[in-house]
Amino acid sequence: MKRGVIENIMKEKHIVILIFVLTCIFFYKVIFYPTHVIFPSLDTVSQNFFFENVFFKGLREHSQLPVWNNYIFSGVPLIGSPIISLFYPINILFMAFPSNAFFGYSFLIHVFFAGAFTYLFARK
């Protein structure tokens, strides 16, 4: 990155902090009540059950990425599944938080990143 871009971001860090504070105010229920689910159905959490139990269990026990899901029909490739989002960096946080709590945190993180980077893009 050019030096001027980094200096601009450092000058405008108070705006990014303001966006973070506004995001936290908007998602105050997620922060104060992390076990409450903020979406209408538990279906998303039950879909993520597979991700937590099969993927991370295979990773911990066998020290390699599981490439095949034998729990759906006669088996399907796991790495190419769009539902799993295997290589999405934020999904690593599923290992640290329970699913129903992390979905709220995930919404908070995504809204903050969307606001902060949209602001920085518009300023550029």
Side-chain angles (χ1 to χ4, degrees):
M1 292 178 93
K2 294 181 182 176
R3 186 169 174 88
V5 173
I6 294 173
E7 288 174 358
N8 268 347
I9 291 172
M10 296 310 286
K11 283 184 208 174
E12 299 183 13
K13 67 182 173 186
H14 63 281
I15 300 295
V16 175
I17 292 171
L18 176 66
I19 292 170
F20 179 72
V21 169
L22 291 174
T23 304
C24 289
I25 290 171
F26 186 75
F27 286 103
Y28 75 94
K29 288 183 181 179
V30 171
I31 296 169
F32 293 118
Y33 310 106
T35 57
H36 288 257
V37 181
I38 63 170
F39 44 87
S41 171
L42 288 175
D43 187 42
T44 309
V45 175
S46 64
Q47 286 177 356
N48 192 51
F49 174 79
F50 168 79
F51 184 73
E52 281 186 30
N53 290 323
V54 174
F55 176 72
F56 291 130
K57 183 179 174 184
L59 195 58
R60 274 184 246 125
E61 290 179 3
H62 304 293
S63 300
Q64 65 182 12
L65 289 175
V67 294
W68 191 257
N69 176 10
N70 57 352
Y71 296 110
I72 297 176
F73 301 119
S74 295
V76 294
L78 182 64
I79 290 193
S81 175
I83 296 172
I84 300 297
S85 313
L86 187 62
F87 298 110
Y88 189 54
I90 293 179
N91 281 347
I92 293 172
L93 296 175
F94 271 110
M95 292 177 14
F97 299 103
S99 291
N100 59 348
F102 180 70
F103 275 108
Y105 295 139
S106 175
F107 292 142
L108 188 143
I109 290 168
H110 284 95
V111 168
F112 167 68
F113 282 161
F117 288 120
T118 300
Y119 171 76
L120 293 173
F121 177 71
R123 292 293 296 165
K124 179 69 177 151

